[in-house]
């Protein structure tokens, strides 16, 4: 007894289950070398969980396992699990053993009995194959055959002690009443709950016709664990438990790198684009070009060669590609070279949780770096109202931890008023999103025009202006809008305003040109006049000079002539002087 | 009426030296003595001593009594408290 007690006191470690999410909840797995109870109603997935635990042990942890089937025939269990991606046949040869311990219907019971037989058989098998994990599936079946509560407690004890003594990790599944609120002690095998070191409860509820499964760790001796109920899905690889974030977020690196939104002017509005790894929310009423905007983002991602996934809830992938072609968003080449993956999620049925698991799986397979979900508000359709918010939260957390840049669109009800949209989107994920772009209609003078504005963008400078979103066969672009008299002008009014301004500008241009020409002309005239005056002046000066010279030479000439005449007449000087 | 010449062959699986094991052994002994005077043969198997046999024979609850002869083979689980059903099962109904 002493040996057992000391073994009980030592926290030996964890036996990983290999179940996505569950190992994170339990910080590593089930208690190694101890006993775990998994309880749940019919169809809650108890057998699958147990089997998955064994398969993981046999495959990955070098821990062979034994599956003791009290309820269902092992052949049928194997057959039922063919749908999963599990190599049961290969494992059964060596590391996985099924014990069929179903009490036969023809079995006659007479008086008290115990589980010595099975324990003896298991002892033999455990030694033979070196088993480290044992699953007792539907232990309640044999327990209910015991005559009284005392006998049940005794057998539970016997089983527990045997597990401890043989140092194997025990895993017991049992059916319990699905009703909540019953104290565990009052449940049929409540004693099990108190004896085991770890207790896990599976729930399977149907809310407005949508199946919602969840798992909750009720207790875990000697270890911390996530106490909340976590939704789960049984997928192609078995259990997939949804958890908010991984225990070691690590890979979600925060970066300053930006990625383009696919619309150049929107990048400018955002001060350079979205942050890489950010979650962007685009809200808007039907037809406000949410898909187009997210399509532009997808195209720009593919152009950089980043693997992108476009999940469409509204229409078929091919339709989206065709429709986006009309605004010059070419996705076909990227689809062909495998860079882009279109996922039409209309054909995925099930709860929001199922959708998320599907999306995560496809995204991981595609090694997605940029993800578009159009629209994410589909998650909150009927039956999912309660979980949709948590799913959206997990979606964003998951994208962050994987450094995936996420663009979600969210449909707003056209009837909802302005105040409602500012209060939040149907999923209330606007608080979680890093960047929130709102698209709106402005109905004005018989027109409906699209307006785009950035409501928030964490960590980036962003424009406070409403812009007009213009879709044309030349692509997607933004235009400034005019405010006149306190009203924004869009569409034709904006065009008219632009035109009026252009004309005014032209008139001003022409007027200016005219003025300059006339000034030029005047200047030319003056120049000509100045030149002619100068010439005239020169002429006058020459004339004046000539005049002077002529006068002088005449004078000289005259005196010369007289002297000559005197000479010729031979007159004397006196005569000459008298004259 | 069970023909007198018919010999009964039993195998009783028990799990160690427990109260259940003891009860089963003594109950079976009383039963044989009372109804099958010298016409029965019993093999007692302790599954803790021979666990391989428990596995091979598919004995998961103890005590388990297997009536090997006369046919058909019957399995009875428990301490063999004398009851009408037990007697019927062992085809000893007339003696109950």
């Amino acid at each position: 007894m002493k040996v057992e007690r000391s073994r009980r006191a030592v926290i030996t470690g964890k036996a990983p289950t290999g179940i996505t999410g569950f190992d994170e909840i339990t910080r590593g797995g089930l208690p190694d070398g101890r006993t775990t109870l998994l309880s749940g109603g019919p169809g809650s997935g108890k057998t699958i969980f147990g089997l998955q635990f064994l398969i993981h042990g046999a495959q990955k942890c070098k821990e062979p396992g034994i599956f003791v089937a009290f309820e269902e025939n092992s052949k049928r269990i194997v057959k039922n699990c063919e749908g999963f991606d599990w190599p049961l046949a290969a494992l059964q040869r060596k590391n996985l053993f099924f014990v069929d311990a179903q009490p036969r219907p023809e079995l006659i019971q007479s008086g008290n009995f115990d589980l010595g037989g099975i324990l003896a058989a298991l002892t033999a098998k455990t030694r033979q194959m070196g088993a480290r994990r044992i699953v007792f599936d539907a232990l309640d079946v044999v327990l209910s055959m015991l005559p009284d509560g005392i006998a049940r407690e005794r057998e539970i004890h016997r089983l527990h002690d045997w597990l401890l003594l043989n140092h194997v990790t025990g895993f017991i599944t049992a059916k319990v009443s699905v009703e909540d609120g019953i104290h565990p002690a009052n449940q049929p095998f409540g004693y099990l709950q108190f004896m085991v070191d770890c207790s896990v409860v599976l729930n399977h509820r149907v809310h407005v016709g949508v199946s919602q499964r969840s798992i909750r760790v009720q207790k875990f001796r000697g270890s911390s664990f996530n106490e909340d109920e976590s939704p789960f899905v049984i997928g192609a690889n078995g259990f997939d438990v949804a958890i908010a974030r991984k225990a070691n977020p690590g890979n979600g690196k925060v970066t300053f790198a930006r990625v383009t939104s696919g619309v150049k002017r929107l990048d400018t509005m955002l001060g350079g684009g979205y942050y890489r790894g950010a979650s962007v929310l685009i809200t808007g009423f039907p037809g406000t070009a949410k898909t187009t905007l997210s399509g532009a983002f997808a195209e720009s991602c593919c152009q950089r060669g980043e693997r992108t996934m476009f999940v469409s809830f509204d229409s078929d992938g091919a339709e989206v590609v065709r429709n986006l072609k009309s605004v010059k968003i070419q996705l076909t080449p990227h689809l062909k070279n495998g860079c882009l993956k279109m996922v039409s999620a209309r054909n995925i049925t099930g709860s929001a949780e199922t959708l998320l698991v599907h999306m995560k799986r496809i995204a991981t397979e595609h090694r997605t770096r940029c993800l578009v979900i159009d629209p994410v508000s589909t998650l909150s359709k009927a039956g999912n109202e309660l979980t949709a918010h948590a799913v959206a939260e997990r979606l964003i957390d998951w994208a962050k931890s994987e450094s995936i840049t996420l663009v979600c669109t969210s449909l707003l009800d056209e009837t909802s008023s302005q105040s409602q949209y500012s209060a939040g989107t149907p999923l209330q994920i606007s608080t979680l999103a890093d960047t929130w772009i709102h698209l709106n209609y402005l109905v004005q003078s018989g027109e409906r025009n699209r307006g785009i504005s950035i409501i928030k963008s964490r960590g980036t400078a962003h424009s406070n202006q409403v812009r007009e979103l213009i879709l044309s066969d030349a692509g997607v672009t933004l235009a400034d809008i005019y405010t006149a008299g306190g009203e924004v002008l869009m569409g034709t009014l904006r065009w008219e305003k632009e035109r009026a301004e252009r004309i005014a500008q032209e008139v001003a241009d022409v007027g200016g040109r005219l003025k300059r020409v006339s000034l030029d002309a005047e200047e030319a005239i003056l120049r000509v006049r100045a030149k002619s005056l100068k010439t005239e002046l020169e002429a006058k000066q020459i004339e004046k000079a000539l005049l002077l010279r002529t006068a002088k030479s005449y004078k000289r000439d005259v005196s010369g002539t007289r002297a000559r005449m005197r000479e010729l007449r031979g007159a004397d000087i006196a005569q000459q002087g008298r004259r | 009426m069970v023909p007198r010449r018919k010999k009964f062959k039993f195998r009783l699986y028990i799990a160690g030296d427990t109260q259940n094991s003891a009860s089963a052994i003594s109950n079976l002994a009383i039963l044989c003595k009372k109804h099958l005077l010298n016409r029965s043969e019993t093999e007692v198997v302790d599954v803790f001593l021979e666990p391989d046999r428990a596995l091979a024979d598919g004995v998961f609850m103890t005590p388990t009594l297997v009536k090997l002869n006369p046919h058909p083979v019957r399995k009875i689980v428990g301490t063999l408290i004398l009851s009408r059903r037990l007697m019927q099962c062992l085809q000893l109904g007339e003696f109950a």
Side-chain angles (χ1 to χ4, degrees):
Chain A
M1 256 344 251
K2 203 147 186 155
V3 180
E4 273 182 33
R5 219 167 261 157
S6 68
R7 196 173 279 167
R8 243 177 249 235
V10 176
I11 298 163
T12 39
K14 304 276 171 81
T17 61
I19 291 170
T20 323
F22 186 77
D23 288 347
E24 278 84 15
I25 289 174
T26 52
R27 321 266 193 264
L30 300 176
D32 188 37
R34 313 246 208 126
T35 315
T36 299
L37 172 69
L38 180 76
S39 47
S44 56
K46 299 182 294 295
T47 305
I48 295 169
F49 193 112
L51 207 49
Q52 213 176 338
F53 172 62
L54 287 189
I55 288 165
H56 184 75
Q59 232 181 343
K60 302 274 159 66
C61 310
K62 290 179 184 159
E63 293 192 358
I66 300 173
F67 190 95
V68 185
F70 285 113
E71 192 168 52
E72 221 183 338
N73 185 293
S74 69
K75 283 200 185 75
R76 271 175 50 208
I77 292 176
V78 172
K79 185 96 187 142
N80 292 346
C81 291
E82 269 174 6
F84 295 116
D85 208 3
W86 297 341
L88 276 180
L91 288 173
Q92 258 177 286
R93 265 173 242 136
K94 205 179 162 199
N95 288 329
L96 185 60
F97 186 74
F98 284 90
V99 176
D100 278 309
Q102 303 93 35
R104 302 240 166 81
E106 71 268 18
L107 191 83
I108 288 129
Q109 197 193 331
S110 159
N112 212 340
F113 71 94
D114 54 54
L115 296 176
I118 186 88
L119 295 183
L122 287 176
T123 309
K125 197 67 201 171
T126 304
R127 279 188 198 141
Q128 186 195 321
M129 65 189 285
R132 294 274 296 107
R133 297 180 176 196
I134 295 185
V135 171
F136 296 90
D137 190 33
L139 187 68
D140 54 296
V141 170
V142 273
L143 288 182
S144 61
M145 291 170 67
L146 288 162
D148 51 41
I150 299 161
R152 279 177 212 140
E153 280 187 24
R154 191 192 60 216
E155 291 318 306
I156 290 167
H157 253 297
R158 194 194 300 278
L159 183 67
H160 190 219
D161 287 346
W162 182 86
L163 287 168
L164 285 173
L165 197 68
N166 288 274
H167 197 67
V168 292
T169 309
F171 186 83
I172 299 168
T173 75
K175 287 186 283 294
V176 292
S177 159
V178 283
E179 286 164 66
D180 288 331
I182 299 177
H183 191 268
N186 299 334
Q187 284 185 349
F189 311 108
Y191 184 72
L192 263 173
Q193 308 267 18
F194 294 101
M195 184 212 68
V196 294
D197 292 300
C198 175
S199 173
V200 182
V201 182
L202 296 180
N203 272 317
H204 190 186
R205 292 188 209 96
V206 174
H207 181 77
V208 200
V210 177
S211 142
Q212 310 275 9
R213 292 173 187 272
S214 65
I215 187 167
R216 188 171 72 90
V217 178
Q218 202 166 37
K219 76 169 188 181
F220 198 133
R221 285 185 187 143
S223 169
S224 65
F225 59 93
N226 183 346
E227 295 173 33
D228 297 334
E229 211 170 57
S230 308
F232 75 89
V233 170
I234 298 176
N237 299 317
F239 264 63
D240 198 324
V241 179
I243 44 156
R245 56 185 78 215
K246 287 179 177 163
N248 305 310
N251 14 349
K253 279 183 210 116
V254 175
T255 161
F256 284 101
R258 302 285 190 111
V259 288
T260 172
S261 63
V263 179
K264 214 171 178 186
R265 288 198 58 180
L266 183 56
D267 291 345
T268 322
M269 275 176 89
L270 287 162
Y274 308 138
Y275 274 124
R276 179 173 290 290
S279 304
V280 181
L281 177 69
I282 301 171
T283 57
F285 302 117
T288 42
K290 297 182 297 297
T291 306
T292 310
L293 208 58
S294 46
F297 169 72
E299 190 196 23
S300 70
C301 295
C302 292
Q303 279 164 355
R304 286 195 305 273
E306 288 175 17
R307 300 185 72 85
T308 306
M309 186 166 118
F310 194 111
V311 182
S312 172
F313 284 103
D314 282 345
S315 42
D316 187 61
E319 283 174 24
V320 174
V321 171
R322 183 204 61 196
N323 297 346
L324 289 176
K325 215 171 189 168
S326 67
V327 285
K328 218 184 168 186
I329 296 172
Q330 304 285 2
L331 296 179
T332 321
H334 306 300
L335 262 180
K336 275 188 187 141
N337 67 25
C339 191
L340 177 71
K341 190 170 180 69
M342 298 293 297
V343 178
S344 176
R346 269 201 309 186
N347 50 19
I348 304 175
T349 53
S351 62
E353 209 57 61
T354 321
L355 285 170
L356 177 63
V357 167
H358 274 283
M359 282 193 283
K360 274 160 81 166
R361 184 174 54 79
I362 300 170
T364 311
E365 278 170 12
H366 187 59
R367 305 197 308 281
T368 301
R369 290 207 64 197
C370 300
L371 178 62
V372 174
I373 296 173
D374 177 46
V376 78
S377 42
T378 311
L379 293 176
S380 66
K381 66 184 179 192
N384 283 317
E385 294 92 345
L386 293 174
T387 53
H389 175 64
V391 170
E393 236 178 53
R394 270 197 294 280
L395 172 71
I396 287 175
D397 286 342
W398 165 75
K400 284 231 153 91
S401 70
E402 300 285 321
S403 297
I404 292 173
T405 313
L406 176 71
V407 171
C408 302
T409 68
S410 183
L411 187 70
L412 296 177
D413 194 353
E414 189 145 22
T415 51
S416 68
S417 66
Q418 294 284 97
S419 64
Q420 255 175 318
Y421 93 71
S422 57
T425 57
L427 290 171
Q428 288 155 3
I429 55 169
S430 52
T431 49
L432 296 168
D434 297 307
T435 299
W436 181 8
I437 295 169
H438 183 64
L439 297 168
N440 205 358
Y441 277 133
L442 256 84
V443 180
Q444 197 176 39
S445 60
E447 281 184 2
R448 204 172 254 275
N449 290 301
R450 299 183 178 94
I452 182 169
S453 57
I454 299 167
I455 296 181
K456 74 165 183 185
S457 187
R458 285 181 188 146
T460 62
H462 52 277
S463 165
N464 62 351
Q465 300 282 301
V466 176
R467 298 275 201 292
E468 187 177 348
L469 183 68
I470 296 170
L471 308 181
S472 68
D473 50 11
V476 185
T477 185
L478 306 183
D480 286 325
I481 56 169
Y482 288 90
T483 50
E487 230 188 336
V488 285
L489 299 182
M490 296 173 92
T492 314
L493 287 180
R494 174 181 54 77
W495 179 79
E496 276 174 2
K497 178 82 179 169
E498 273 176 358
R499 192 166 149 266
E501 280 204 356
R502 207 164 49 238
I503 291 168
Q505 185 65 44
E506 267 172 30
V507 168
D509 279 358
V510 169
R513 265 208 308 278
L514 203 66
K515 184 82 185 157
R516 218 170 111 189
V517 167
S518 71
L519 283 173
D520 279 352
E522 274 174 43
E523 193 191 349
I525 290 166
L526 285 173
R527 267 186 211 288
V528 169
R529 269 171 64 189
K531 201 168 182 184
S532 97
L533 281 173
K534 200 179 166 195
T535 319
E536 212 175 323
L537 180 70
E538 273 170 17
K540 291 280 176 206
Q541 280 168 344
I542 292 166
E543 202 184 324
K544 194 176 135 196
L546 187 69
L547 187 69
L548 276 173
R549 218 172 39 240
T550 319
K552 261 185 205 161
S553 86
Y554 179 71
K555 223 172 176 177
R556 205 170 51 238
D557 220 28
V558 169
S559 61
T561 310
R562 274 190 192 150
R564 182 77 181 135
M565 278 173 76
R566 252 188 334 258
E567 271 174 31
L568 288 174
R569 283 173 193 164
D572 56 13
I573 306 277
Q575 271 181 309
Q576 195 182 1
R578 252 182 303 175
R579 265 182 97 167
Chain B
M1 184 58 99
V2 174
R4 290 202 163 264
R5 60 191 180 281
K6 224 168 200 176
K7 188 126 177 155
F8 274 71
K9 202 172 171 193
F10 296 116
R11 191 183 290 150
L12 180 65
Y13 295 88
I14 54 159
D17 189 16
T18 61
Q19 183 67 47
N20 281 347
S21 305
S23 302
I25 290 169
S26 74
N27 283 341
L28 183 64
I30 293 166
L31 192 130
C32 291
K33 200 173 176 187
K34 205 169 164 189
H35 301 288
L36 301 162
L37 260 173
N38 301 323
R39 288 193 298 113
S40 67
E41 196 179 284
T42 305
E43 181 196 4
V44 177
V45 178
D46 188 336
V47 290
F48 285 161
L49 301 176
E50 295 175 83
D52 294 322
R53 279 190 73 175
L55 185 68
D57 300 351
V59 173
F60 303 121
M61 286 163 275
T62 44
T64 294
L65 178 72
V66 182
K67 180 188 68 134
L68 298 161
N69 205 34
H71 280 283
V73 175
R74 284 270 183 269
K75 261 189 183 180
I76 300 148
V77 165
T79 47
L80 305 173
I81 294 166
L82 213 59
S83 72
R84 199 178 171 78
R85 212 166 153 234
L86 176 69
M87 299 308 279
Q88 270 173 0
C89 175
L90 293 173
Q91 292 159 320
L92 297 168
E94 300 83 351
F95 302 101

